Amino acid sequence: MKADSWHMQGLGIHTNTPYDHVTALQPGFHSLDSQQSSKEEWQQILERVSAGDNDLTHDYTILGPPPAAIAAFDPSPRQSIETSTAMGFEPQMTTSGSNPALYPFIPVEPQFGGWTATSEPSLSYPPAIPEHEQWSAPPASMMPNGLPASAHVHPSQFYYPQEPHFTSAGPSPMLSQGSPHDSDFVDVGWDQPDVPQPWLDSSGSDEINDIDAIEVCYAQLLWRCLKEAPEHTMTLKELYDWVREHSQKAKDPKNRGWQNSVRHNLSMNAAFERVPPRESQGVKKGSLWRLTPAALRDGVISTTRYRKDPKHKPLKRATPALKRQISGAKGGQATRNAQRRQQQLREARSYPNLLTRQRHNDLRQPHRPGPPIMPPMPFYDNHPLPHPFMPLYDHPPSPYFLDVDDQISRSAPLTPPRVQMLYDSQPKSMLSEFNFGHIDFTNGGIIGGGGEHEYFAPDTPSLGTEASYMSDDGMQSLLSHNASREPTTFPVDV
DNA sequence: AGCCGGTTAAACAAAA
DNA sequence: TTTTTGTTTAACCGGC
């Protein structure tokens, strides 16, 4: 294989096994020598993995189509079965237990130069992966921002260094113009539900593939977008554009208030902050919105945390205002629909055999008894390493739940979080649950607790608002609610 | 039963 | 003056 990784397609094995039989392609990529490992050999492996063969020398986690799909591949060099290691794997990660994962590949854009270095107009895109009863879309949380579950994206791509993604009115962080992930490929099935969906289950049902099924809440949408934006900052209009393109919420003609909801979330969620005018020069109208460092690191939590302390909740009117009643009902319906979709997705994800064995996890994670913690949305992170990383348990409570005075009074620097690396070779069975302590992937990474508070601006209007509502008791109840769950853990960027 | 998360809509003010 | 932007409140529904 050449260093040109455009043509890596077909099935690949994402592995942290020793690099024997592996030929370096370019940083982070290795190609199995096709002379030494035939298609048949790989097919055998895939079949054994799929069957849950316990005698395999390595652990495998299937994240790609079942072996039957292999037969459809044209064994041309461009479609050879290859091994890749996500870039940034550190040596120690290759020495212990192995746990490769099988992925579908898509053409991989050259990393160097970022998305602007588009080229090769005559890209050959991967063939559609045949339908298979055991194959369904990967978890939404494993898909990069804005991509439908039908898109075939090699996870290592998520870790590529990327140029700042967003140009105003550009299509998306991921779907920058000229990218092979642009509409020619990725958008197939996004806006065109009639196009055959390779990742669709064999019934042809749209249950799994329905983009609604991976719809996430506004706060998460905004978080995802801002996370990848240059300086994690965007204008309101850019946010509108992004949500319009990437959320079914904005596509629903009945939902005329989605922009209002966007603004509502921006205003009310402490994950987002308005950039002071002096920093947003050049913005003619409105201001810039930025992801707070804490939110960047820890993810976003529910906007509704600003609900008033129940003790201070104003009395409901004896007869609710009719207009509010109507809008409330609409909101309720929308929530119900969204939750039904989530439920469908959860059911779809519970397909057997897609998430398989895990043997060496305990060896790799001797100090952490619980399930692996994944970051809220690792896939768009610019960090070259295939994190997730996780800190241990000695974090302070979420800044979002700290009293303002308390925050101000804490001046001593906090102990930096200790981090522990987890890689994609972690048990995928946990992915099927989509709940990593506080990091619940059913909501795309909305977390129930935050990290340190050092970045938190005490004068954040929203917090002030919140604090003004929150009595001590109210705060305590929130904290105790928080504490009643699993130990708080916070994925972090390093 | 009551709280929480998520959503929608509205009212209102300020800015452009 | 109108439109956009930003903030806040209120209402509903489903889950827990």
Side-chain angles (χ1 to χ4, degrees):
Chain A
M1 284 294 287
K2 303 175 298 182
D4 170 10
S5 62
W6 272 108
H7 307 299
M8 300 180 72
Q9 342 182 335
L11 279 178
I13 290 189
H14 184 216
T15 176
N16 58 0
T17 55
Y19 294 155
D20 52 342
H21 298 270
V22 164
T23 307
L25 274 171
Q26 57 183 351
F29 270 88
H30 302 273
S31 159
L32 195 79
D33 186 337
S34 59
Q35 299 303 311
Q36 298 180 37
S37 296
S38 68
K39 172 185 167 185
E40 286 71 25
E41 288 170 348
W42 281 107
Q43 185 162 357
Q44 262 189 358
I45 292 175
L46 289 167
E47 284 173 350
R48 291 173 67 187
V49 169
S50 159
D53 186 337
N54 283 320
D55 294 322
L56 284 168
T57 53
H58 298 122
D59 266 355
Y60 297 88
T61 301
I62 296 182
L63 293 179
I70 298 177
F73 287 136
D74 174 0
S76 69
R78 288 190 170 196
Q79 295 174 349
S80 59
I81 298 169
E82 300 165 356
T83 292
S84 130
T85 55
M87 65 185 303
F89 262 32
E90 297 191 345
Q92 67 268 23
M93 298 308 295
T94 69
T95 56
S96 60
S98 55
N99 188 23
L102 308 182
Y103 297 113
F105 275 9
I106 62 165
V108 176
E109 198 162 10
Q111 299 104 311
F112 309 108
W115 296 111
T116 56
T118 58
S119 56
E120 304 224 18
S122 60
L123 290 172
S124 64
Y125 292 104
I129 298 173
E131 295 173 356
H132 189 284
E133 291 182 359
Q134 292 184 332
W135 181 241
S136 65
S141 65
M142 300 198 65
M143 300 307 295
N145 203 1
L147 290 184
S150 59
H152 309 163
V153 178
H154 188 282
S156 62
Q157 173 191 334
F158 306 153
Y159 307 120
Y160 285 179
Q162 295 176 17
E163 292 296 314
H165 73 296
F166 195 90
T167 55
S168 181
S172 86
M174 201 61 191
L175 310 180
S176 51
Q177 291 171 359
S179 160
H181 314 292
D182 211 334
S183 55
D184 282 350
F185 176 67
V186 165
D187 276 358
V188 168
W190 178 274
D191 289 324
Q192 308 172 50
D194 293 332
V195 173
Q197 298 303 302
W199 297 59
L200 202 57
D201 66 349
S202 60
S203 69
S205 157
D206 64 352
E207 277 189 359
I208 298 169
N209 207 62
D210 184 358
I211 187 57
D212 278 6
I214 59 172
E215 188 72 5
V216 297
C217 66
Y218 284 105
Q220 177 67 16
L221 279 171
L222 298 172
W223 186 89
R224 287 185 185 185
C225 187
L226 287 169
K227 186 164 195 298
E228 296 308 314
E231 298 179 45
H232 314 293
T233 301
M234 291 170 72
T235 66
L236 181 63
K237 276 218 175 326
E238 288 170 338
L239 286 163
Y240 282 164
D241 289 340
W242 194 90
V243 171
R244 184 182 291 114
E245 176 156 354
H246 294 93
S247 172
Q248 203 64 20
K249 301 176 197 302
K251 292 186 170 76
D252 182 357
K254 293 192 296 291
N255 182 8
R256 293 195 299 269
W258 66 270
Q259 291 182 332
N260 193 357
S261 295
V262 167
R263 294 195 306 272
H264 166 84
N265 276 264
L266 288 170
S267 284
M268 301 303 290
N269 197 310
F272 315 117
E273 62 185 1
R274 215 151 56 88
V275 177
R278 65 180 183 279
E279 294 181 41
S280 51
Q281 294 170 350
V283 177
K284 290 183 178 177
K285 196 164 191 177
S287 46
L288 290 168
W289 288 92
R290 180 170 57 200
L291 207 55
T292 64
L296 178 65
R297 187 183 59 238
D298 300 331
V300 61
I301 64 173
S302 165
T303 296
T304 53
R305 75 190 175 289
Y306 287 118
R307 183 160 294 155
K308 291 179 179 178
D309 177 2
K311 289 188 178 63
H312 296 179
K313 193 160 52 180
L315 294 173
K316 281 195 172 184
R317 305 165 188 228
T319 54
L322 179 60
K323 284 184 175 179
R324 287 202 185 278
Q325 232 179 338
I326 293 170
S327 64
K330 276 189 164 184
Q333 291 283 340
T335 303
R336 184 179 61 187
N337 292 338
Q339 286 175 349
R340 282 178 179 169
R341 289 191 293 266
Q342 292 289 344
Q343 178 59 33
Q344 287 177 353
L345 184 61
R346 275 191 292 272
E347 289 169 3
R349 283 168 182 159
S350 63
Y351 279 33
N353 264 350
L354 289 176
L355 306 163
T356 56
R357 303 168 303 128
Q358 172 64 33
R359 285 204 296 253
H360 304 292
N361 183 50
D362 291 344
L363 292 175
R364 276 196 297 277
Q365 302 295 333
H367 305 303
R368 193 174 48 78
I373 305 300
M374 301 287 281
M377 288 295 299
F379 312 109
Y380 261 51
D381 199 306
N382 290 334
H383 200 283
L385 288 178
H387 68 308
F389 307 100
M390 62 155 289
L392 300 180
Y393 300 135
D394 53 356
H395 271 276
S398 161
Y400 302 121
F401 295 107
L402 283 178
D403 190 284
V404 173
D405 292 339
D406 185 34
Q407 294 187 46
I408 295 173
S409 68
R410 295 193 187 199
S411 55
L414 295 164
T415 304
R418 287 180 287 147
V419 299
Q420 184 172 7
M421 293 188 186
L422 290 175
Y423 288 86
D424 201 51
S425 54
Q426 292 310 302
K428 298 302 184 295
S429 58
M430 302 316 302
L431 285 175
S432 69
E433 295 302 322
F434 285 85
N435 191 337
F436 305 91
H438 281 177
I439 316 299
D440 185 349
F441 278 76
T442 58
N443 286 327
I446 286 204
I447 62 175
E452 299 168 355
H453 59 262
E454 55 193 292
Y455 298 113
F456 200 88
D459 59 348
T460 299
S462 301
L463 177 66
T465 302
E466 156 120 306
S468 68
Y469 288 139
M470 300 289 286
S471 67
D472 289 344
D473 287 347
M475 187 64 70
Q476 283 304 316
S477 74
L478 273 175
L479 288 170
S480 64
H481 175 75
N482 209 30
S484 69
R485 302 183 181 183
E486 294 298 313
T488 302
T489 55
F490 309 100
V492 297
D493 287 331
V494 190

